[in-house]
Amino acid sequence: MTEFELIESFFTKDRSQRKDVLLGIGDDAALLKVPAKQSLVVSTDTLLSGVHFPEKTAPFDIGFKALAVNLSDLAAMGATPAWATLALTLPRANEKWLKEFSRGFFTLINRYGMQLVGGDTTRGSLAITVQVLGFVPVNKALQRKQARVEDKIYVTGTLGDAGLALKLLGSSKLKKSAYLLQRFNRPEPRVETGQALCGVSRCAIDISDGLAADLGHILRASGVGAHVFVENLPLSSVLKNNLTKPEAWSLALNSGDDYELCFTVSPSQEPKLKKVLGKIKCPYTWIGTVEKKPGLRLKYPQGCAANIALKGYRHF
Ligand code: ADP
Ligand code: MG
């Protein structure tokens, strides 16, 4: 199979044709049209075998996750996804692998009405780089630098599930937990939530490296600090039933890959927040409050002797 046959077979067939794609796959570059009064939002992420997913991961899940983690970044800006490009480095052209990878990738492309508009295909160790492009109304993007003193801090969903899955990797316990496998292999980007937060929140981040690290980015960028109540950290029943409280809190604070959103809301906007997130049935939890003093401080329940060290994933 040549490079061109490969692209033709797995990445161009029966794809949705968006009106804003003037020229898609097949030329030296794509031609795209950004709607009036919208900013173009662009983000890219690479997934490496053995770093971002275990080598044995199913190709469907690799394709799904490659797009999911990128969409999570768009969600954190409040953007509506539109287009994607895919740079694929493969050790060999394995048709079965490519078919499954493509199925996983296009699951999310189609769900969000996106179009794959270009890419690159090369031979080498497995690596997947996706770029996603989307829109946000001018001046409405959610930014890390926009947290303000007295803003309430919220997170969506539950935290620490992907972290527990990673800890249990290879164990029979993990193989039996459909919930943990799902959370680890097929993270659901909070695209609708990000869009709903536009105009309610000004500041968000997606949790890829762990809450402490990612909230830390918000706090530094905004020149503020915060306290977080460990008892408020949202935990799934799997975490609650299998770990002690301090173990679960530590995972919720320090483990990455959950791809939930952390965002801040000024107290005056809280009724509106309830309305917009209620409408899309997005679970969210108040975990703490922004304050003037720099740094992140954990608050423990009375009589609790836990003292959790804060860290986050670092590539270097
Ligand atoms: P060039 O040599 O001009 O860079 P390529 O041969 O790399 O062009 O690509 C030909 C066309 O196929 C381009 O439109 C490119 O965007 C697209 N393409 C290449 N690889 C992929 C891929 N993995 N997924 C989607 N489109 C791809
Ligand atoms: Mg070219």
Side-chain angles (χ1 to χ4, degrees), residues 95-114:
E95 291 191 30
K96 209 173 134 201
W97 190 96
L98 277 159
K99 195 172 167 203
E100 280 301 294
F101 173 88
S102 167
R103 238 172 32 86
F105 188 82
F106 280 99
T107 297
L108 287 177
I109 287 278
N110 294 334
R111 187 202 293 175
Y112 293 108
M114 300 174 72

Side-chain angles (χ1 to χ4, degrees), residues 16 68 123 173:
S16 71
R123 186 189 288 259
K173 218 171 176 174

Side-chain angles (χ1 to χ4, degrees), residues 43-270:
S43 181
T44 189
D45 259 321
T46 295
L47 268 71
L48 296 175
S49 182
V51 179
H52 300 96
F53 55 87
E55 275 166 34
K56 285 183 191 151
T57 305
F60 182 100
D61 292 340
I62 299 173
F64 187 97
K65 196 167 178 177
L67 198 55
V69 303
N70 275 281
L71 288 174
S72 178
D73 283 319
L74 284 195
M77 301 301 289
T80 300
W83 312 306
T85 65
L86 169 65
L88 202 50
T89 305
L90 301 168
R92 68 197 76 83
N94 175 335
E95 291 191 30
K96 209 173 134 201
W97 190 96
L98 277 159
K99 195 172 167 203
E100 280 301 294
F101 173 88
S102 167
R103 238 172 32 86
F105 188 82
F106 280 99
T107 297
L108 287 177
I109 287 278
N110 294 334
R111 187 202 293 175
Y112 293 108
M114 300 174 72
Q115 190 171 334
L116 179 66
V117 296
D120 196 23
T121 308
T122 49
R123 186 189 288 259
S125 310
L126 181 59
I128 301 117
T129 298
V130 174
Q131 182 181 49
V132 283
L133 304 100
F135 318 128
V136 72
V138 169
N139 295 328
K140 285 281 177 349
L142 310 172
Q143 296 178 52
R144 295 179 182 187
K145 67 178 183 197
Q146 287 173 343
R148 298 287 176 267
V149 172
E150 289 185 10
D151 276 2
K152 304 284 179 204
I153 304 167
Y154 290 90
V155 292
T156 59
T158 58
L159 300 178
D161 296 315
L164 181 58
L166 189 62
K167 245 174 110 162
L168 295 175
L169 214 62
S171 73
S172 60
K173 218 171 176 174
L174 179 60
K175 285 181 193 128
K176 276 184 266 171
S177 175
Y179 173 77
L180 288 182
L181 285 171
Q182 172 88 15
R183 290 283 285 163
F184 185 62
N185 289 323
R186 299 202 196 159
E188 284 292 339
R190 294 281 184 186
V191 174
E192 295 82 1
T193 306
Q195 288 172 261
L197 287 174
C198 263
V200 180
S201 164
R202 286 177 306 238
C203 168
I205 193 167
D206 69 316
I207 304 176
S208 53
D209 294 337
L211 175 67
D214 290 320
L215 176 56
H217 294 317
I218 285 184
L219 301 180
R220 268 186 302 280
S222 300
V224 294
H227 59 263
V228 162
F229 297 97
V230 292
E231 273 215 307
N232 288 17
L233 294 169
L235 306 172
S236 66
S237 50
V238 175
L239 250 75
K240 281 186 198 158
N241 296 340
N242 287 284
L243 303 175
T244 66
K245 274 188 176 179
E247 282 170 344
W249 293 336
S250 179
L251 272 183
L253 287 160
N254 290 320
S255 70
D257 287 335
D258 285 317
Y259 298 100
E260 295 293 348
L261 294 182
C262 173
F263 57 94
T264 76
V265 173
S266 82
S268 68
Q269 294 292 84
E270 287 194 290

